[in-house]
């Protein structure tokens, strides 16, 4: 097939055949000569056979890898600012729009619910249109919603606008997808952790930014009830700017944009129904859905309620409550990347089992500190509990996305989408149960939410990979099922395998051998050699 | 980590200042002398008043039943929420501890205490929210502690209440700017999309 010739350069979805490995183990002198048209030399960073970067350099903006990283996380950051822009201004908004606690609670639920659907859709959009358009759609189609906040006159309008703005949280999926196709599996935990964490920081920055913008606009002469509406133009404008930057400077895949690669036959289009089916059929997807609901989910809930909690319970001023609330979100700067990094380190030592244990530990510890936060009666203890809680929960988010890229290769986008949707679902659920009624005080709600999170983290013990094991079980002893290739090629039907459509998954399977624990990987080394020699 | 430690430390220091500032306020509302001042608040017109436009005619004078008159140095007149405006709004809750009480957040006027009857024409501020209100005057002593009060309504806060409608905060210029930016955003996206599809088609036909 002509497309095979093109494919031999190596793209993330339609890759080379296994023959390539002969070169990496052979001592033949002729193979040492690097062909003059070696495509990997055109990248600023060292890349693997799929042209994904093997090194992460956050200070660089080189295309395509680091540029994608920066555009991705900043877009996501901007969307977080917009989604939670209302939260620190609620004390003003509730007076202007005559809101009750129920109205505010419901709007908080609405602000995270929209993204349940948009994150699902985004997974598919990325698979089909590429990460750039996924991000740009999310940014530029929800910017009008942010501007529309200036029209709100009552609880219904407020809720509707917050619901629609919330759709932009789908950029999380496009951002994680973009980094997953740009960076190699060995560092994906750290990269996804940084992108996710620095993006999530937007939830913290907005608690500082919006009151500040509001204050400046008031100084310029506007009344409070008009100033908060004008303040919303800032996040809206940022979204439009980011959307244009993403479309101008971004690139979907290491080798080019999706539409160009598809038209030239280098990347094959997959069928959405198949992608969807394999994502949904995989039980691990749903466990991740629940887990993320109680790490990211409670983080989103906290973004909505924590400023008001400190304002009302400890009688802090609006700006002070904003500073405290901001420090929760800002911890994301290092906490989430740390979680991803810890996951990568655990994988190096213990393989996938290490990743799963790290995930459980961080998430449970974070939830325990959440229980403590609700029970703290003095301000310093509450702040201490909140900071420890934020570190635990955010590290868990990072650790989870060290696991997610390995659940499926074919349906990577959709699984990111489903997991992300789970985060929003968890947030909507916890806000609805604990923070929208007068049944629990906010303090009680926090402790109950923490307890629920401890319970809902237990399912991580059930995630089992036949080739790598689970928290309590060893990998399968069966010769065939214990191979990564078996797991990843089981997502393709026999027909499709005959057509060679699964070769990208095989490529990925070989690169994912890093998820075996060090002991097993070393013991297996002779078999790898024999494997490639048989091909020769 | 070091950045975070110093952030936490500076937070603690700021907050300790705040706490110590408000440390000794255990004074209760129930300790204040009721009805020490006779307060009336007459709206400038019937029906729901408009914030920023309508006025209240407020008068206050010493009541014949007052006993702590010697301590009065200042009178603080405030706009307070009626119970109906406090329902499902815990940030407007009435608390007995004076420093926690949030039911009278809007200051009308503060004047030095004068034996003779006082009056004030108050134009409702533009940041007054929609709700039902009454007026209360606190008599404050030289240490800035409340000692007595009087209000324009009865003890159950059910008589002589008036309603206010807040300003909307909207403005035509805002609406227009909003629409313009929105249209620009969607158009820009479409332009990029169509352009790229066209370029890809050209690539393919080459």
């Amino acid at each position: 097939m002509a497309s095979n010739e093109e494919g031999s350069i190596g793209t993330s979805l339609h890759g080379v055949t296994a023959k390539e490995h002969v070169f990496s183990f052979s001592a033949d002198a002729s193979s040492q000569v690097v062909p003059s048209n070696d495509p990997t030399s055109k990248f600023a960073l060292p890349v693997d056979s799929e042209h994904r970067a093997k090194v992460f350099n956050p200070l660089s903006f080189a295309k395509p890898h680091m540029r994608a990283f920066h555009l991705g996380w900043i877009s996501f950051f901007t969307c977080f600012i917009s989604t939670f822009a209302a939260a620190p201004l609620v004390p003003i908004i509730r007076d202007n729009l005559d809101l009750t606690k129920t109205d505010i609670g419901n709007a908080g639920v609405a602000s995270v619910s929209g993204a349940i659907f948009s994150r699902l859709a985004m997974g598919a959009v990325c698979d089909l249109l590429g990460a750039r358009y996924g991000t740009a759609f999310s940014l530029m189609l929800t910017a009008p919603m942010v501007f529309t906040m200036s029209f709100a006159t009552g609880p219904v309008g407020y809720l509707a606008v917050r619901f629609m703005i919330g759709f932009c949280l789908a950029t999380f999926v496009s951002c994680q997808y973009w980094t997953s196709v740009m960076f190699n599996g060995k560092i994906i935990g750290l990269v996804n952790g940084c992108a996710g964490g620095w993006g999530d920081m937007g939830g913290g920055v907005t608690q500082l930014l919006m009151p500040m913008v509001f204050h400046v606009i008031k100084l310029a002469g506007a009344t409070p009830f008009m100033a908060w509406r004008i303040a919303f133009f800032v996040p809206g404008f940022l979204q439009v700017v980011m959307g244009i930057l993403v479309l101008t400077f971004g690139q979907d895949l290491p080798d080019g944009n999706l539409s160009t690669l598809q038209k030239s036959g280098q990347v094959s289009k997959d069928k959405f129904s198949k992608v969807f089916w394999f994502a949904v059929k995989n039980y691990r997807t749903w466990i991740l859905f629940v887990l993320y609901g109680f790490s990211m989910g409670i983080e989103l809930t906290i973004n909505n309620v924590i400023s008001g909690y400190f304002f009302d319970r400890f009688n802090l001023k609006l700006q002070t409550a904003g500073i405290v609330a901001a420090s929760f979100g800002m911890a994301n700067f290092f906490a989430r990347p740390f979680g991803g990094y810890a996951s990568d380190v655990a994988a190096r030592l213990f393989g996938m089992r290490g990743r799963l244990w790290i995930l459980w530990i961080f998430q449970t510890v974070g939830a325990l500190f959440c229980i403590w936060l609700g029970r703290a009666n003095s301000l310093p203890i509450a702040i201490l509990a909140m900071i420890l809680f934020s570190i635990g929960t955010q590290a868990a988010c990072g650790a989870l996305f060290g696991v997610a890229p390995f659940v499926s290769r074919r349906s990577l986008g959709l699984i990111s989408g489903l997991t992300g949707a789970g985060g929003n679902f968890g947030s909507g659920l916890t806000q609805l149960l604990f923070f929208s009624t007068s049944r629990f005080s906010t303090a009680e709600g926090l402790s109950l939410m923490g307890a629920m999170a401890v319970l809902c983290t237990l399912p991580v013990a059930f995630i089992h990979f036949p080739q790598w094991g689970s928290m309590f079980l060893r990998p399968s002893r069966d010769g065939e099922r214990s191979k990564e290739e078996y797991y990843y090629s089981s997502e393709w039907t026999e027909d499709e395998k005959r057509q060679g459509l699964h070769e990208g998954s095989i490529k990925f399977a070989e690169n994912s051998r890093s998820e075996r624990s060090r002991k097993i990987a070393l013991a297996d080394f002779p078999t790898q050699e024999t494997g490639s020699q048989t091909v020769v | 980590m070091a950045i975070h430690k110093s952030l936490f430390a500076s937070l603690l220091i700021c907050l300790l200042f705040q706490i110590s500032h408000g440390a000794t306020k255990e004074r209760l509302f129930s300790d204040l002398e009721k009805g020490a001042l006779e307060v009336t608040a007459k709206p400038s017109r019937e029906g729901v008043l408009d914030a920023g436009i309508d006025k209240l005619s407020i008068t206050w004078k010493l009541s014949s039943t007052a006993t702590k008159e010697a301590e009065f140095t200042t009178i603080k007149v405030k706009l307070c929420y009626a119970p109906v405006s406090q329902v499902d709004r815990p940030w407007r809750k009435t608390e007995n501890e004076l420093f926690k009480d949030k039911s009278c957040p809007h200051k009308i006027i503060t004047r030095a205490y004068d034996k003779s009857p006082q009056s004030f024409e108050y134009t409702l501020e533009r940041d007054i929210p929609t709700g039902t209100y009454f007026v209360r005057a606190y008599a404050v002593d030289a240490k800035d502690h409340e000692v007595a009060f009087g209000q324009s309504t009865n003890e159950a806060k059910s008589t002589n209440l008036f309603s206010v409608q807040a300003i909307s905060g909207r403005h035509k210029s805002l609406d227009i700017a909003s629409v313009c930016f929105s249209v620009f955003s969607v158009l820009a996206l479409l332009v990029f999309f169509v352009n790229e599809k066209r370029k890809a088609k050209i690539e393919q036909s080459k």
Side-chain angles (χ1 to χ4, degrees):
Chain A
M1 287 195 294
S3 55
N4 237 346
E5 225 86 26
E6 307 277 298
S8 63
I9 293 172
T11 62
S12 54
L13 292 180
H14 194 78
V16 299
T17 63
K19 282 185 191 159
E20 207 137 282
H21 279 268
V22 176
F23 295 124
S24 59
F25 289 121
S26 155
D28 189 358
S30 58
S31 70
Q32 304 280 333
V33 175
V34 177
S36 55
N37 61 343
D38 174 23
T40 64
S41 59
K42 73 178 191 264
F43 294 114
L45 297 170
V47 295
D48 64 12
S49 53
E50 287 179 284
H51 288 184
R52 297 193 294 174
K54 292 199 286 196
V55 162
F56 175 55
N57 180 9
L59 297 174
S60 144
F61 279 82
K63 64 187 261 185
H65 309 98
M66 289 316 306
R67 210 174 272 191
F69 171 77
H70 287 295
L71 288 170
W73 82 260
I74 297 178
S75 306
F76 182 40
F77 177 85
T78 311
C79 287
F80 248 84
I81 292 185
S82 304
T83 306
F84 295 103
L89 296 179
V90 158
I92 311 293
I93 301 176
R94 67 191 180 196
D95 280 344
N96 187 190
L97 304 181
D98 200 23
L99 305 176
T100 62
K101 181 171 180 186
T102 313
D103 293 329
I104 296 173
N106 288 340
V109 174
S111 69
V112 296
S113 310
I116 295 175
F117 309 104
S118 64
R119 283 182 171 192
L120 288 173
M122 182 55 79
V125 169
C126 285
D127 280 328
L128 301 170
L129 288 180
R132 260 184 342 135
Y133 274 109
T135 311
F137 271 35
S138 185
L139 285 167
M140 294 171 92
L141 292 179
T142 52
M145 316 301 175
V146 181
F147 295 124
T148 312
M149 189 57 106
S150 64
F151 289 102
T153 47
V156 173
Y158 176 67
L159 186 140
V161 172
R162 283 207 77 182
F163 176 68
M164 292 193 294
I165 295 179
F167 279 109
C168 72
L169 285 184
T171 29
F172 166 70
V173 176
S174 61
C175 169
Q176 299 275 297
Y177 182 92
W178 213 355
T179 50
S180 298
V181 300
M182 286 284 181
F183 291 89
N184 176 273
K186 289 212 185 93
I187 51 170
I188 198 63
L190 178 62
V191 175
N192 274 349
C194 285
W198 297 352
D200 288 345
M201 258 196 332
V205 166
T206 198
Q207 317 268 1
L208 286 174
L209 177 74
M210 295 304 286
M212 199 174 71
V213 170
F214 170 70
H215 191 67
V216 165
I217 297 173
K218 258 201 319 180
L219 286 178
T223 59
F225 290 174
M226 197 157 117
W228 76 266
R229 295 166 190 276
I230 301 175
F232 265 80
F233 276 77
V234 170
F237 183 68
L238 284 174
Q239 274 187 232
V240 176
V241 166
M242 275 317 297
I244 295 177
L245 286 177
V246 163
L247 289 173
T248 324
F249 294 111
Q251 190 176 300
D252 289 318
L253 297 164
D255 293 312
N257 282 326
L258 193 66
S259 50
T260 330
L261 293 176
Q262 279 175 341
K263 291 259 189 301
S264 62
Q266 285 183 324
V267 170
S268 55
K269 279 191 187 177
D270 204 348
K271 272 174 63 188
F272 174 70
S273 54
K274 284 279 160 71
V275 167
F276 183 77
W277 173 240
F278 283 111
V280 164
K281 203 172 76 141
N282 195 332
Y283 75 93
R284 300 171 193 84
T285 308
W286 300 106
I287 298 184
L288 289 184
F289 181 93
V290 170
L291 281 173
Y292 204 54
F294 287 91
S295 55
M296 175 50 91
I298 56 179
E299 193 184 323
L300 294 176
T301 299
I302 293 285
N303 276 337
N304 264 334
V305 309
I306 197 74
S307 180
Y309 176 66
F310 278 100
F311 181 83
D312 290 330
R313 177 147 191 218
F314 296 102
N315 291 302
L316 301 181
K317 291 207 198 67
L318 195 75
Q319 300 93 294
T320 320
I323 295 175
V324 175
S327 60
F328 176 85
M330 304 279 252
N332 261 303
F333 179 73
F334 70 89
R336 185 159 172 158
F338 168 69
Y341 177 68
S343 182
D344 286 340
V345 167
R348 248 181 274 150
L349 297 172
F350 305 108
M352 176 56 72
R353 297 178 78 183
R355 288 194 194 266
L356 295 168
W357 271 101
I358 285 280
L359 172 55
W360 180 80
I361 291 171
F362 280 143
Q363 193 154 325
T364 306
V365 165
L368 290 172
F369 282 123
C370 182
I371 299 176
W372 192 25
L373 169 64
R375 298 177 71 86
N377 282 317
S378 75
L379 185 61
I381 304 280
I383 295 182
L384 178 67
M386 185 196 74
I387 290 181
L388 293 171
F389 159 41
S390 69
I391 295 174
T393 304
Q394 288 158 10
C397 293
L400 191 144
F401 275 90
V403 172
F406 295 99
V407 169
S408 160
R409 183 62 195 84
R410 189 172 187 181
S411 313
L412 170 68
L414 200 52
I415 290 191
S416 291
L418 276 168
T419 309
N424 286 70
F425 175 76
S427 179
L429 183 69
T430 49
Q431 281 182 85
L432 197 63
L433 286 176
F434 305 123
F435 300 103
S436 296
T437 61
S438 313
R439 185 148 170 232
F440 308 114
S441 68
T442 310
E444 286 168 351
L446 286 170
S447 294
L448 288 169
M449 185 170 74
M452 190 172 178
V454 172
L455 283 174
C456 292
T457 306
L458 295 173
V460 71
F462 295 112
I463 296 185
H464 179 81
F465 290 93
Q467 68 274 29
W468 299 317
S470 66
M471 270 170 80
F472 296 108
L473 297 171
R474 289 229 185 84
S476 163
R477 304 282 174 98
D478 182 87
E480 212 196 319
R481 284 167 59 82
S482 65
K483 292 227 172 5
E484 287 81 0
E485 282 82 353
Y486 177 79
Y487 179 79
Y488 290 109
S489 52
S490 62
E491 293 182 314
W492 302 86
T493 62
E494 284 309 314
D495 235 353
E496 289 165 335
K497 283 194 221 178
R498 244 175 279 130
Q499 292 176 53
L501 292 174
H502 70 306
E503 279 166 23
S505 287
I506 298 291
K507 189 109 250 35
F508 180 79
E510 282 157 354
N511 282 328
S512 74
R513 261 199 254 282
S514 54
E515 296 309 303
R516 298 188 180 190
S517 71
R518 223 170 23 177
K519 267 198 313 200
I520 301 177
L522 289 171
D524 264 356
F525 201 78
T527 11
Q528 281 182 351
E529 283 261 33
T530 13
S532 57
Q533 277 169 14
T534 330
V535 171
V536 174
Chain B
M1 255 341 221
I3 305 167
H4 215 74
K5 274 199 195 126
S6 46
L7 173 70
F8 178 49
S10 48
L11 250 182
L12 258 184
I13 294 171
C14 291
L15 293 157
L16 281 171
F17 272 122
Q18 297 253 349
I19 299 166
S20 54
H21 194 66
T24 50
K25 294 195 174 70
E26 294 262 333
R27 292 167 297 120
L28 302 174
F29 181 73
S30 45
D31 292 342
L32 299 184
E33 191 187 350
K34 295 192 242 296
L37 299 163
E38 276 173 27
V39 182
T40 67
K42 192 167 176 309
S44 57
R45 62 179 182 90
E46 287 291 310
V48 178
L49 305 172
D50 287 322
I53 303 172
D54 290 322
K55 301 190 213 298
L56 285 175
S57 252
I58 303 170
T59 65
W60 63 95
K61 65 172 198 251
L62 189 65
S63 154
S64 45
T65 57
T67 52
K68 294 191 186 163
E69 196 221 334
E71 296 171 44
F72 295 3
T73 37
T74 326
I75 304 292
K76 289 186 180 170
V77 186
K78 294 188 180 175
L79 196 63
C80 306
Y81 292 109
V84 63
S85 284
Q86 291 174 302
V87 169
D88 203 11
R89 293 183 172 92
W91 58 89
R92 293 181 183 170
K93 213 164 150 204
T94 304
E95 298 268 5
N96 203 10
E97 283 156 302
L98 281 170
F99 83 101
K100 269 194 191 169
D101 180 47
K102 297 190 174 127
S103 58
C104 297
H106 306 287
K107 295 196 179 68
I108 295 177
I109 186 149
T110 301
R111 256 193 215 166
Y113 171 66
D114 192 319
K115 274 190 176 17
S116 58
Q118 300 287 305
S119 70
F120 179 65
E121 190 85 355
Y122 171 64
T123 309
L124 291 159
E125 300 273 358
R126 288 166 78 193
D127 63 352
I128 303 286
T130 303
T132 309
Y133 298 87
F134 62 93
V135 173
R136 179 181 286 168
Y138 285 104
V140 171
D141 70 8
K143 284 185 277 166
D144 203 29
H145 291 171
E146 292 87 349
V147 288
F149 74 94
Q151 56 193 31
S152 64
T153 182
N154 61 3
E155 192 147 342
K157 298 186 229 171
S158 53
T159 58
N160 289 336
L161 303 171
F162 52 92
S163 292
V164 177
Q165 173 66 41
I167 61 165
S168 75
R170 286 180 58 185
H171 198 266
K172 213 188 241 168
S173 57
L174 268 187
D175 296 347
I176 296 174
S178 178
V179 171
C180 286
F181 275 114
S182 306
V183 167
F184 170 72
S185 180
V186 178
L187 269 182
L189 179 68
L190 276 175
V191 163
F192 267 99
F193 195 68
V194 167
N195 241 355
E196 256 188 52
K197 284 271 173 228
R198 216 180 335 129
K199 270 200 222 147
K201 272 212 183 100
I202 296 172
E203 275 272 331
Q204 195 189 24
S205 61
K206 271 196 194 153

